[in-house]
Every structure is written in C-alpha cells, then in structure tokens.
Amino acid sequence: MKLTLGTKIKYLRLQKGITQNTLAKALNVSFQTVSKWENETSMPDIQLLPEIAIYFGCRIDDLFDFSEQAQFARIENMLEMQDTLTEEEYRQAEALLKRNLNESIYKNDALRLLASLFNHRADSLRKSAEFYAKEALKLSPQVKENHCNLQRAQEGTVPDWDFANHSKRIAYYQEFVKENPAYPGGYLWLLEELLADNRLDEAENTCRALAKVDHSCRVAFYLGRICWKRGRHQEAEDTWHQMLEDHRDDWLTFACMADAMAHLCRYDDAVFYYRKAQELQPSPKYTDAQITTAMIYEIQGKYDDAIDSLNEQLEMLKQEWNLTEGCEVERVHKEISRLQQKSAGCP
C-alpha cells in the first residue's frame, strides 16, 4: 500500500496520539486546514514541509514515498551504509518491521530485516564492549572477567568444550538439510560446523549428500579438508589439485584453494590463489582478495603491503560498485589508519 502525503500526515498524527487541532496549533494553521490535508482536498504549503517533518521527527523525503517496499529498502540501505543507528532510527525501523509481521505479503522481508537489524545493533554493542574491555584490561590485566568480556565482544575462542562446540548449530542444520535437501547452501553451513568440531565421519556423509545437488568445486574442497584433518595430507593435496584441474575456469575454485592454503598458514600460496580468483571473477568483482591479503600481510608484519591492499580495495569499491562513502568505505579508511600507526610503531 502506498500512502499519499495527506494520508501519511494522518498516520503520523494518530501514531503520535494527537488531535487535528493540536497539530494545527503546532503548525500555526487551522484545524480545518489539517482536515483538508488528510482528506486530500488540499496540500500543505511547501514552506510548511520542514516544520511538519521536524514535528513528527522524520525527514522531508519521508513524507512522500511510503510504500512498504520503499520503507524496507530504506532500512536495508541504513544497515548497509551506517555503522550505527540512532535510537530513533532503530526504534522506527523495529516498529515498522514488526507491524508487517502479520502481513503475509511482507512477512518474509520483515523477518529477514528484523534479524539484520538486531545483528546490526549487536555488532555495534560488541564494538563498545570490546573498547571498554580493553580499557579495563589496561587497568586490571589479571582480572578474568575482563578477558571473558573481551572474548565475548570479539567472539573469540574458548578452551571449554561445552562453550566452544557447535552442537546446536549442527543439530539445526541437520534438520535444515532434511527439510531443504535440494539447497546446497544448507550443506555448506553444516559442513563448516562439523569440521570445526572434528565430526569427520558426519562431514564425509554430508559431502556425499552435497554431491547429489552440487557439481561445483565445493565437494572436492571439503573432501580435501576432511582428509587433511584425518592426517592424510598428500591425499588432501591431490584432491585440491584435481579440483583445480576439473574446474580451471571457475573463479570459485581458486577462491576455495586460497582458503585451504590460508587455513594451513601457507600464506604466499593463499595470496596467489586469491589474486587468481579475482582475475577470473566477472564484474562487479568482490573485494575479498584485498581484504584477505591485507590480513595475511599484517600477520606477516608487512604493514605497507597490507595498506596497499586496502587502498586497492577502496579503488575497487569505487570502480566495481560505485561506492565512495558509507560504513564499508569508512571501515577501510579506519583499517588503513590503524595499520599506518602500527607501521610507525605507535601503540
């Protein structure tokens, strides 16, 4: 449903719980004028639009296109372009999405965006938690709770099996693939968790099921990882090289090989394969090669090379995705600044 300007003013007024007369007094017009707006017999003077927007706590642009899909697109754009949302932006987005949970036509998008909205807020809160945990550790480096808070904020690893294992996610995706047997993605999520927990027999069975619905390089990639974890290193190498031979024109094959090498800390090989994957990738190209090589160079202490990779990422975001601003670009600039300080020996 698309709302006209008058209908939107009425909607905002009722949401605020005020009468036409109250709104009229706030805008210094008659209540008959407000009534005409809401009945679509007249339109507000253009000079009043800023006052109306301020009164209702929205932007002028928000007064004109109010289809649900347009609202969803705006929320999605905010989540993509802003690292943090104001309390008002968050509250309005949550209210709008929850209001659409009972509308079957919008329910799927509403559920998806609610999950993204809450994860966005959680990410923002984790950054704050990370900052304060590090500050606390400077003052009290031997307090266990400070280390635990940092671990939770950074989603780090823990030695306790009962906290570290992935049995709940494994159980979920085991049921998921039963209900969605033709969707390859479900098997991939399941395989990652099984490998993380060294449940290798189950991982092999999952690979066999994946092979029935996915004929890409992924089956060989995971079979190689299973072999490596079992200690059959030469068999793993042979499996991966055969994967490259069988899927030599597929950029994803080289990306998988790069990931395999990075997991083994064979960093120079990983950089080579990440670059090769990007060469084969059609436009618009992803910037994973620059992100991962920057990480690898930092691990190796090659800070200038890492900075060069991130500058490449900025250029690719501009050329391939027409992105020159927003939180993704800002994150890259922050990483460059951090690495420059690290290169200069700053704490």
Side-chain angles (χ1 to χ4, degrees):
M1 179 179 67
K2 185 165 182 170
L3 303 182
T4 60
L5 176 57
T7 307
K8 183 61 181 183
I9 290 173
K10 181 178 180 179
Y11 168 79
L12 291 171
R13 177 178 64 79
L14 293 175
Q15 190 180 51
K16 200 174 180 73
I18 60 171
T19 65
Q20 289 181 341
N21 194 45
T22 300
L23 177 58
K25 288 180 178 179
L27 299 174
N28 199 28
V29 298
S30 68
F31 78 88
Q32 291 95 337
T33 298
V34 173
S35 179
K36 288 179 181 179
W37 294 343
E38 295 183 358
N39 290 321
E40 299 294 334
T41 58
S42 70
M43 294 279 285
D45 188 285
I46 192 170
Q47 294 180 341
L48 273 176
L49 294 180
E51 292 184 47
I52 295 172
I54 290 170
Y55 185 79
F56 288 117
C58 64
R59 302 179 308 176
I60 294 175
D61 288 350
D62 296 338
L63 296 171
F64 290 93
D65 187 358
F66 297 99
S67 68
E68 297 303 314
Q69 288 302 323
Q71 293 279 35
F72 288 175
R74 181 183 170 216
I75 292 170
E76 198 153 14
N77 187 58
M78 285 196 306
L79 295 178
E80 183 177 336
M81 298 298 290
Q82 298 175 216
D83 260 342
T84 57
L85 302 183
T86 66
E87 188 63 33
E88 183 65 15
E89 286 172 331
Y90 173 81
R91 185 190 63 77
Q92 288 184 356
E94 181 185 13
L96 182 137
L97 294 171
K98 285 186 174 179
R99 191 167 67 242
N100 279 281
L101 289 178
N102 295 323
E103 299 291 334
S104 59
I105 190 173
Y106 298 125
K107 186 173 183 177
N108 184 49
D109 283 339
L111 287 168
R112 174 178 60 83
L113 285 173
L114 275 168
S116 295
L117 178 68
F118 293 138
N119 272 327
H120 188 279
R121 167 154 282 204
D123 289 340
S124 178
L125 292 173
R126 272 194 291 270
K127 288 176 185 176
S128 297
E130 179 181 357
F131 171 80
Y132 288 113
K134 286 179 176 178
E135 292 298 300
L137 281 166
K138 290 178 184 177
L139 299 177
S140 304
Q142 297 180 357
V143 174
K144 181 180 178 180
E145 185 179 357
N146 292 335
H147 291 278
C148 290
N149 282 330
L150 183 61
Q151 181 273 327
R152 290 182 64 186
Q154 295 179 325
E155 297 182 287
T157 55
V158 292
D160 308 81
W161 181 86
D162 53 329
F163 285 100
N165 81 85
H166 304 83
S167 56
K168 289 184 178 179
R169 278 176 58 79
I170 288 171
Y172 174 82
Y173 276 105
Q174 285 174 332
E175 290 302 313
F176 181 93
V177 296
K178 288 179 184 177
E179 295 171 4
N180 303 274
Y183 174 57
Y187 299 95
L188 303 183
W189 290 111
L190 176 56
L191 277 164
E192 287 296 334
E193 306 300 341
L194 290 170
L195 285 168
D197 281 8
N198 289 307
R199 291 165 62 167
L200 302 182
D201 289 342
E202 292 169 88
E204 281 195 16
N205 291 333
T206 302
C207 268
R208 294 191 191 99
L210 173 63
K212 296 177 182 178
V213 296
D214 189 325
H215 305 292
S216 72
C217 63
R218 292 186 180 95
V219 174
F221 169 63
Y222 282 103
L223 285 174
R225 289 178 63 187
I226 293 167
C227 286
W228 190 276
K229 276 183 169 283
R230 288 195 188 281
R232 305 202 300 259
H233 294 173
Q234 188 57 53
E235 185 178 345
E237 297 263 10
D238 293 342
T239 300
W240 288 327
H241 283 291
Q242 188 62 50
M243 172 186 74
L244 291 177
E245 183 65 25
D246 293 340
H247 304 276
R248 68 184 71 178
D249 297 322
D250 186 355
W251 70 269
L252 181 62
T253 306
F254 291 88
C256 285
M257 189 65 168
D259 282 343
M261 295 298 101
H263 278 296
L264 302 182
C265 301
R266 287 161 54 172
Y267 293 131
D268 291 340
D269 289 337
V271 169
F272 171 81
Y273 287 117
Y274 281 128
R275 297 288 189 183
K276 182 65 175 177
Q278 191 174 67
E279 287 176 16
L280 293 174
Q281 195 177 97
S283 290
K285 296 176 184 288
Y286 300 125
T287 60
D288 297 60
Q290 283 69 37
I291 295 170
T292 50
T293 54
M295 291 179 179
I296 286 171
Y297 288 140
E298 183 177 4
I299 290 170
Q300 295 176 321
K302 301 176 181 177
Y303 303 125
D304 290 341
D305 289 338
I307 291 168
D308 288 343
S309 289
L310 293 177
N311 279 318
E312 282 181 32
Q313 184 186 359
L314 289 174
E315 185 61 26
M316 287 200 68
L317 288 172
K318 178 181 178 181
Q319 296 297 329
E320 299 284 334
W321 300 93
N322 197 31
L323 279 178
T324 58
E325 58 183 2
C327 60
E328 186 169 358
V329 172
E330 289 173 8
R331 276 197 294 268
V332 180
H333 282 296
K334 287 178 182 178
E335 277 296 286
I336 291 173
S337 178
R338 181 183 65 80
L339 287 168
Q340 287 171 336
Q341 293 180 358
K342 200 169 183 178
S343 179
C346 300

